[in-house]
Structures are given as structure tokens and as C-alpha cells.
Amino acid sequence: MTLIHLAIILPVLAAIVVRIIYRYYRRLHLGWFVLPVPLAIFIYLLTFIPRVGDGQVVYETMHFMPRIGMNFDVYIDGLGLLFALLISGIGALVVLYSIGYLSREEHLGNFYVYLLIFMTAMLGVVLNDNVIMLYLFWEMTSISSFLLIAFWHTREPSLYGAQKSMLITMFGGFMMLGGFLLLQNITGTASIRGMLESVALIQESPLTPFVIVLVLLGAFTKSAQFPFYIWLPDAMEAPTPVSAYLHSATMVKAGIYLVARLTPLFAFSETWVWIILLGGLITMTWASFNAISKDDLKAVLAFSTVSQLGLIMSLLGLGALSVLTGANEAHFSVAVVAAVFHLINHATFKGALFMLTGIVDHEAGTRSLKKLGGLLTVMPISFTLTVITALSMAGLPPFNGFLSKELFLEAMIDIREADFASLASVSFIFPLLAIVGSIFTFVYSVLLIYGVFFGKRTYDTPKEPHEAPALMLISPIILSVLVVLFGFFPNILSGTIIDPAAMSIMASDTPLGTHLYMWHGFNNPALWATVAIVIIGALLFYFKDKWMFIYDYHKERFTLNHLYDQGLIYSRLGSRKLTDGYMTGFLRSYLVYIFLFFVIMGAVTFMNTGFNMDYGSLAPVGIQEIAMVVIILASLVVILATRSRLVSIIMLGAIGFAVSLFFVFFRAADLALTQLAIETVTTALFLVCFYHLPKRSKHPERMRFKTTNFIVAAGVGIMAILIGLTAYSNRLFDPISQFHIDNVYELAAGGNMVNVILVDFRGFDTLFETLVFGIAGVGIYSLMRLRLNRKGKQDETHIEEN
């Protein structure tokens, strides 16, 4: 294990220590013990910037499950390093913020353990080169996020949101696993680097469209793209530090990372480009439109997050045109740079906005815009930070969001230059959707500022509002400073972070030489698009009371949420009916299921491989064996025909004694004696048990019942014979019996082979079989005692009542 492997699993290791500290020491807030973990990882990752900036990559491998190709291979390039820095850097700020946000009366041990597990999961996702290991960490993010969203588990909305997020994201993750397995089958490797060397195989494979759809299902569900975005607003029931970390900066960007990482593999495909490009723009426009109608501040930010993720996703779809497609790289590498830059910018302004929303909720006791207003003079620091970050989200200068939004608009306008399929012929759709989505983004950004800090005070808040303590303000202040810093000096990131990440997405070794600046001149169409966005957005905000009625036509029963809820209800009803249908309570039904499954699976298997039996290797059949078979069959017929229990037991014993004679014929005297003893004891026990059973006649059985029994029994018997003969005729190894014959005396100093096998060669097997019988006996004895005690108490109660 290398140092970078240790850095990835450090949060999980720290979670164990944190839990112990929380149990024995609660005088200091637990967050102070957690804070050094992400901070140390962030500082360590900063040391990779010079190497990655020079075009180097770091690759370290550790064998985990090599037989199935599942190794813990760490691969640090520009893209992985960018995400790892966001995960650890924002994670440190979130932990610092949570110290002021969460009181020591909360279950802090659980909270920080879940948070640290999530941190390891996300680092494992973005720094992994093995797709199977990536999937392991991917699902680890879903589980830990479920626990974090349901942290306040006494609240019904928290449980609902946690369940919804897990069902949708784990469904996508399972589909993604199918895509990974198909991809591994096509390329013969689970390594992403290895797959990049086999792009030709992926292009030629007929399975590639299925792989793309399955992988994008995983990405779209995790990054809340349309139509899977419905889980994110409900996940806002989590504590605000969770929302700031998972749902703005890290978890929801896992799907973005996946698309960016796999773009070099699938950029040649029209399916890949169209789904990501159109899906992202539709998500952006739809979510920004819905954000305006929300009253809850976190709901507004939730839909805002969905919208911003859609923007980044569409840029990745457009940027794919610069990879292996013959499109003008000078135009569409801009989209990749914009995606990377906006990824960073979104983490800064949206992380700060979530924290500021938490501050408002924490200090005023509500997040409802109807109850808030006029807090400008009461919370001046929070107001200043909100203005900076909200205007950056709206794409206004001089903040960092303006720069990446300008690049986004420029890329969408330049889509007409694409020489890819029929993209250029419908190029007007993409800038139109981009501008419409940006207009609504401007409206809800202004709404956040005005609705909380301007207007009249309602004095309807559960608490008297006041400015937050310094501990809660430090993190949003740092993020807001970065918003301004990256706006005025964006080229701090160009050569160190943005270019290496963009080159990883484009699978290019050629330096991009990105230079970002605020002013592009009056001939820049993106500038005039921004002017139009601001003017139209301002008019829509000013006259919002005139057109907000359109949201009234958005009936709940026609929403995706309603479809999800109904699907959940009917799936439960359907599963209950299905279960009630086959769980009849009769042992005979369950045996039929098991035996039919055995017969069907055996038949399917041998239909593909065939029965390969060598009759020449079978022993000759003598008259004595035939006689024993006739006796067994005759006894079986009598058992089926008779109505007498006594006769059935005797005939069953006769079958056992006939089998004992088989052992005698085959010179297995010890087995014959054992079988005789067992049959004798079993027959005696049966007779004793049946003597005490009620004397009831055998109930009549329908022909359908008998026919089913006959078919199942015949099928099992035939299949067992065929499997036995096939296995005997196709031995892959020499039989072990000769080993026992040669070594029974030499190694075990015994003359009785059966006893030596049971006691020496298979001694542990026999020991544990005996242990199982002992456990079963203790269980039966406990149940009998429990029943006797319960019966005694019932008798005492009956006597007292009388």
C-alpha cells in the first residue's frame, strides 16, 4: 500500500478513531478532531499540482481481487486531481462549518463517521483506474449519502428523501455496472487506461450502444439529470453541511466525473454526444424554470444545482466533439475548458450559498421566503456574501461565474461550426435553450437576494434573526473570497488545474495554453447574449407576479414525483401479491419450486453443453443388482398404493435394507452395517411416532395434484441420473479413492478405510457435522422448554381465573 492509497482510506480509518473519541470525550466538539483529516489530504494533494501540470501522471497499483481483475489501481491525472482537491478542500470547509452549525447534543459520532466514509468513497471514485473498484466506491457513496440524508431519522421527510435518493442512484449504479462488465468483455481489461488503448474494439463492437446507455444511466441518476433529478430536492432534508458537501460540490458531480473520464472512449458515438448535450440543456432549462416557483431556500438551491449540473453536462457533450470526431478542436476545446472551469466555480459559489442558507435557517428558524425579508440590516455579512455568490451563479461580472458562463454561451453559439452528424442543421436549438435557462438562472439568483434581505420584515420567523457567529461565517467567507479571486485572476487556475483536467478529458498531450480574461470586446456574441439575459431576466423578476400563475397549471399528478410515488406504491402491492401467491404455507409447494428449478436449470445447461456419457466405463450389472432394483421398485409401488401407515413404513425400511445389500455386493461391508443400523433405528422411530399420531384416514388427492408430483419426481430422478452419469463419464481429476487406499495404513495407521476417512482424513468435516447436530439439539431443546414454560404459565392463569 502506497501513501496515496493510504490518503484515500484515511477518512475511513479516522472514522474508527473518531467514534472512539466521541464515546469517551465530549467536552470538545467532535468536528475539531475530524477537521485535520480532509485538511491533511488537501495539503498532500496540492503537492501533485506541479507534476500533473507538467503533463505527468501518478499510477500506483495494489492487488485486491486479481482473479476477477479487481485491483485498487490509483491514477492521478489532471481530472482526478481536480475532483480530489474539491472533495478534500470543500470537505475541510464543510467540517469547519458544521462545528458551528451542529450542536453537541446531536449524534455527532454518527454524523462524522458517515461523512468520513463518504469522503473515502468519493476519493476512491475519482482516483480509480479500475472500473470494478470504481463501482464499489460508487455504491459506497450511495450508502453513505443515504445515512447522511437520513441523519435526522425521526423526521418522515428525511427518511423519504434518503430512500428516494438511494433507490434512484443505486438503480443507476447497477445499470452502470452492467455497462462496465460489457466494456470489460469488449476490451478484455477493467483498466480505464487499458480501455483507452482499445478504442478501436469499442468502435467496432455491436454492444457499444448498450454500454453507452447503461453507463449514462449511472451518470445521469447520480448527477440528477432529467428525468432522474427528482431525488435531489427531497435530499435537502439533510443537515445543511451535508447539502453543501454532497449536493453541491461532490456526490452530484460523480456523474459529471464519469462522463468526463469516459469521453475519450465514446466521443466517436452520436448516441453519446446527443444524449449528453441535449440531456444537459433540457435539465438546465427545466430545473431553472422550476427553481423560481419554490418557497424553500434549499429547494431553490436544489433545483439550481440540478440546473448547473445540466449546464456542465451539456458542455461535456459539446466538448466530446473535439475528441476523435474531426470537429474544429479550436472551437470545441472551449467547451471542455468551460466545463472544467464552471465545475470549480460552481463548487465555490454553490457551497457558499448552501452554507449561507443554513445560516439564515439557523439564525431565523425558517427557510421560507414567505416568512423572510428585510434582513439586510440584521445580517449584513451574510447579505454581502450572498450577493457575491448569487451574482456569480447568475453569471454577472466581476465574479468567476461570469467567466465560465461566457465560455458556455460562446461554445453553444459556436455549435454551428460542428461537422458532426446533423448537429449544425439544428444548431439554433442549443443557444436558445442555453439563453432561456440562463434567464431563469438570473431570476432565481436575484430572488434569493431580494426575498431574504430586501422588502419588509415579516416578523414571522420562529427566532429573532441575527448575524451568525464567526465560526459559521469562516467557510462561506473563504469560498466567497475565491469567487472574487478567480473572477479577477482566473489564470491562477489555467495552467495548474484547468488545462491538465481539460487535456485528460480530451485525451490530448498538447498543452492548451488557456488564457481567461473578462473582456472579449463588443464583437463577442456571448456578451450580447449576457446583456439580453440580464435585461429579460430583470423584466421577468420585476413583473413576476404577472406570470407566476403559469406554475398553477403544473399539476402534481402530472409530475415525475407523482410517477415515482405511484410506482413505489404499486411495486409494493405487486410484490405483496406475488409473494402471497407463491408463499402458500405448504411445504409441498416449496419443494415443488426447488425441484422444478433444479430440473429446468439442469435441462437448460445440458441443452447448451449436451450429455456426454461413456457407457463403456460403467460397471457390469449382475443378476443380484437387478433383483435389488426389482425389490426397491416393488416396495415403492406398495408405498404409493397402500393406505396403511404400517405397511408404508415397512416398505420404506425394505428399500433401505435393499440399499444395504447393494453395499454388500460392492464390498463395502462397513457402509452396509451402518445403513442397516440407521434403517433399523429409523423404522423403529417412525413406528413410535406414528403410533401417537391421530388415527385419520388418508385424504383423497386430485389427479392434478398427483400428476404434478409425478412429473416433478420423475424429472428430478431423471435429471439426477443424467448428471451422475455425465459427471462419472467426464472426470477432470483422478479419483481420490486410490489415495485413501494407498495411504490409509501409512498415514493414519488404521485398517478400516471408512473409519479412517471419517476420523482422520475428514476429521474436521466430521467434527463440524457433529457440532451442527449439537447446535440443532440445543435449539430443539430450547424450543421444547419454551413451550413447556408457556404451557405452564397458561395453566396457572387458567387456575387463577377459575
Side-chain angles (χ1 to χ4, degrees):
M1 179 180 291
T2 63
L3 192 59
I4 186 61
H5 287 102
L6 184 61
I8 292 174
I9 66 172
L10 177 62
V12 166
L13 299 177
I16 301 172
V17 178
V18 161
R19 190 66 188 174
I20 296 172
I21 293 173
Y22 182 69
R23 184 171 183 177
Y24 295 104
Y25 187 83
R26 300 195 183 186
R27 295 176 60 186
L28 193 64
H29 196 286
L30 189 60
W32 291 114
F33 297 98
V34 178
L35 182 60
V37 176
L39 197 58
I41 296 173
F42 180 73
I43 294 171
Y44 172 65
L45 290 172
L46 287 175
T47 62
F48 289 93
I49 290 180
R51 296 168 62 183
V52 172
D54 290 338
Q56 302 178 35
V57 296
V58 179
Y59 180 77
E60 300 288 349
T61 186
M62 185 179 77
H63 293 302
F64 187 66
M65 295 183 182
R67 287 183 177 271
I68 62 172
M70 187 176 176
N71 295 323
F72 193 1
D73 299 333
V74 174
Y75 184 74
I76 303 180
D77 61 354
L79 183 64
L81 181 61
L82 165 62
F83 276 89
L85 287 171
L86 288 177
I87 292 162
S88 54
I90 301 295
L93 294 177
V94 165
V95 171
L96 178 62
Y97 174 80
S98 68
I99 296 172
Y101 184 85
L102 295 172
S103 68
R104 284 187 286 180
E105 283 70 31
E106 300 275 9
H107 297 287
L108 296 181
N110 294 346
F111 177 82
Y112 286 113
V113 166
Y114 302 155
L115 196 70
L116 289 169
I117 293 173
F118 175 81
M119 195 177 297
T120 282
M122 279 301 304
L123 288 171
V125 166
V126 302
L127 296 179
N128 226 302
D129 182 56
N130 188 286
V131 292
I132 308 301
M133 201 70 178
L134 186 151
Y135 170 74
L136 174 67
F137 284 109
W138 184 279
E139 295 297 39
M140 194 172 165
T141 64
S142 296
I143 295 171
S144 53
S145 66
F146 167 83
L147 295 171
L148 285 166
I149 296 169
F151 176 67
W152 286 322
H153 55 83
T154 56
R155 304 179 184 179
E156 186 63 30
S158 296
L159 297 178
Y160 175 80
Q163 181 195 50
K164 194 174 188 178
S165 68
M166 187 172 70
L167 286 177
I168 293 176
T169 57
M170 295 196 88
F171 158 76
F174 191 67
M175 296 296 103
M176 183 189 72
L177 175 62
F180 284 166
L181 294 177
L182 288 176
L183 200 57
Q184 185 180 13
N185 185 54
I186 294 169
T187 60
T189 179
S191 167
I192 297 176
R193 294 186 309 120
M195 291 173 182
L196 285 172
E197 298 171 359
S198 306
V199 172
L201 294 176
I202 299 173
Q203 289 177 337
E204 297 169 0
S205 175
L207 296 174
T208 298
F210 299 101
V211 174
I212 288 174
V213 171
L214 291 173
V215 169
L216 288 181
L217 277 173
F220 273 40
T221 51
K222 188 71 83 173
S223 285
Q225 297 298 288
F226 188 90
F228 306 106
Y229 69 90
I230 56 174
W231 67 266
L232 187 58
D234 289 294
M236 292 300 117
E237 292 297 330
T240 298
V242 174
S243 301
Y245 191 39
L246 275 66
H247 306 138
S248 69
T250 53
M251 175 183 164
V252 289
K253 289 193 172 74
I256 301 290
Y257 167 80
L258 185 69
V259 170
R261 176 61 75 193
L262 299 184
T263 288
L265 291 180
F266 300 116
F268 64 87
S269 170
E270 293 183 27
T271 304
W272 179 267
V273 174
W274 279 106
I275 291 177
I276 298 173
L277 181 55
L278 270 180
L281 284 174
I282 291 171
T283 301
M284 174 196 174
T285 306
W286 177 250
S288 61
F289 170 74
N290 279 277
I292 300 171
S293 65
K294 304 304 173 187
D295 174 60
D296 188 301
L297 286 175
K298 285 182 74 173
V300 175
L301 292 180
F303 277 95
S304 165
T305 300
V306 174
S307 176
Q308 299 293 312
L309 293 172
L311 183 154
I312 299 171
M313 191 70 78
S314 66
L315 285 170
L316 290 176
L318 186 57
L321 297 177
S322 66
V323 187
L324 302 175
T325 61
N328 190 331
E329 185 176 334
H331 282 288
F332 299 106
S333 60
V334 172
V336 180
V337 171
V340 173
F341 192 26
H342 200 72
L343 192 76
I344 300 169
N345 295 340
H346 179 258
T348 55
F349 64 67
K350 188 56 65 65
L353 281 171
F354 267 110
M355 293 178 186
L356 292 167
T357 296
I359 287 174
V360 172
D361 185 22
H362 195 271
E363 306 307 331
T366 182
R367 300 193 303 260
S368 174
L369 287 170
K370 294 177 181 178
K371 298 180 179 180
L372 295 169
L375 300 183
L376 171 59
T377 56
V378 179
M379 306 175 72
I381 300 176
S382 297
F383 163 73
T384 305
L385 300 178
T386 302
V387 168
I388 293 171
T389 51
L391 292 183
S392 177
M393 181 170 63
L396 296 183
F399 309 112
N400 59 354
F402 169 75
L403 292 169
S404 52
K405 184 66 73 70
E406 287 285 284
L407 291 174
F408 164 67
L409 294 172
E410 179 184 339
M412 289 299 155
I413 292 170
D414 286 344
I415 204 170
R416 63 184 181 275
E417 303 291 337
D419 183 18
F420 183 75
S422 57
L423 200 61
S425 61
V426 291
S427 59
F428 70 93
I429 296 175
F430 305 103
L432 179 62
L433 288 173
I435 291 172
V436 171
S438 299
I439 290 171
F440 290 127
T441 300
F442 178 87
V443 174
Y444 67 67
S445 298
V446 177
L447 183 65
L448 278 174
I449 301 172
Y450 184 85
V452 177
F453 298 102
F454 290 96
K456 296 181 179 179
R457 285 283 302 275
T458 61
Y459 297 97
D460 194 23
T461 56
K463 298 180 181 178
E464 182 62 29
H466 55 85
E467 189 57 87
L471 193 58
M472 291 181 68
L473 289 169
I474 293 174
S475 294
I477 286 174
I478 292 173
L479 291 172
S480 300
V481 169
L482 292 178
V483 166
V484 177
L485 181 66
F486 294 158
F488 282 102
F489 307 103
N491 294 300
I492 296 174
L493 302 172
S494 296
T496 54
I497 301 294
I498 296 175
D499 278 2
M503 290 165 61
S504 299
I505 297 171
M506 298 165 60
S508 172
D509 296 328
T510 306
L512 295 177
T514 300
H515 185 72
L516 302 171
Y517 46 93
M518 193 76 66
W519 179 248
H520 293 256
F522 287 108
N523 293 326
N524 179 23
L527 173 65
W528 297 109
T530 299
V531 172
I533 289 167
V534 173
I535 293 173
I536 298 172
L539 291 173
L540 285 176
F541 175 76
Y542 186 78
F543 295 106
K544 68 179 186 303
D545 294 335
K546 305 293 184 182
W547 58 272
M548 289 289 285
F549 68 90
I550 61 176
Y551 291 102
D552 297 334
Y553 295 100
H554 193 195
K555 301 298 183 183
E556 180 64 28
R557 65 178 178 273
F558 298 125
T559 63
L560 291 169
N561 276 308
H562 180 74
L563 181 63
Y564 166 84
D565 293 334
Q566 292 301 305
L568 207 59
I569 292 170
Y570 284 111
S571 64
R572 288 172 179 168
L573 292 175
S575 61
R576 182 175 299 173
K577 288 184 178 180
L578 179 63
T579 304
D580 293 341
Y582 68 81
M583 295 297 291
T584 61
F586 295 103
L587 181 60
R588 182 256 183 186
S589 299
Y590 305 146
L591 291 176
V592 168
Y593 305 151
I594 296 171
F595 291 145
L596 274 178
F597 179 79
F598 168 73
V599 173
I600 293 171
M601 291 305 297
V604 170
T605 302
F606 285 108
M607 281 175 63
N608 295 327
T609 60
F611 292 97
N612 185 15
M613 290 176 282
D614 181 13
Y615 297 102
S617 63
L618 301 179
V621 179
I623 186 66
Q624 66 273 20
E625 284 95 351
I626 295 176
M628 291 300 100
V629 170
V630 171
I631 293 173
I632 290 173
L633 292 176
S635 302
L636 181 61
V637 170
V638 173
I639 292 173
L640 295 175
T642 186
R643 292 180 175 273
S644 171
R645 293 173 178 172
L646 180 61
V647 174
S648 297
I649 294 170
I650 293 173
M651 289 298 101
L652 189 62
I655 293 174
F657 293 137
V659 173
S660 301
L661 288 177
F662 269 115
F663 292 141
V664 174
F665 297 151
F666 296 144
R667 295 182 300 171
D670 290 336
L671 287 177
L673 289 173
T674 304
Q675 178 73 13
L676 285 171
I678 291 173
E679 287 299 329
T680 302
V681 174
T682 304
T683 303
L685 289 175
F686 273 157
L687 289 171
V688 172
C689 292
F690 275 81
Y691 175 79
H692 293 283
L693 288 177
K695 298 183 182 299
R696 295 179 179 175
S697 60
K698 188 176 181 181
H699 64 275
E701 297 169 346
R702 296 180 179 179
M703 183 56 64
R704 179 182 175 184
F705 184 88
K706 294 180 179 180
T707 304
T708 303
N709 287 351
F710 174 78
I711 293 174
V712 173
V716 171
I718 294 171
M719 190 56 62
I721 292 171
L722 293 175
I723 291 174
L725 291 175
T726 303
Y728 185 79
S729 303
N730 298 275
R731 295 191 176 186
L732 301 177
F733 307 99
D734 294 331
I736 199 173
S737 56
Q738 190 60 44
F739 170 82
H740 291 147
I741 294 171
D742 297 339
N743 295 282
V744 65
Y745 185 77
E746 294 292 335
L747 297 180
N752 188 312
M753 188 181 302
V754 175
N755 290 348
V756 168
I757 291 172
L758 293 175
V759 176
D760 293 289
F761 291 124
R762 292 181 57 196
F764 281 110
D765 187 22
T766 306
L767 173 64
F768 287 118
E769 286 180 0
T770 307
L771 180 63
V772 169
F773 278 113
I775 293 172
V778 171
I780 293 170
Y781 175 75
S782 301
L783 291 173
M784 293 174 65
R785 286 293 303 268
L786 182 64
R787 182 179 180 184
L788 290 173
N789 292 338
R790 188 173 295 172
K791 184 178 180 182
K793 291 180 179 179
Q794 290 176 350
D795 291 342
E796 291 176 3
T797 304
H798 182 68
I799 292 172
E800 290 176 359
E801 290 176 352
N802 292 334

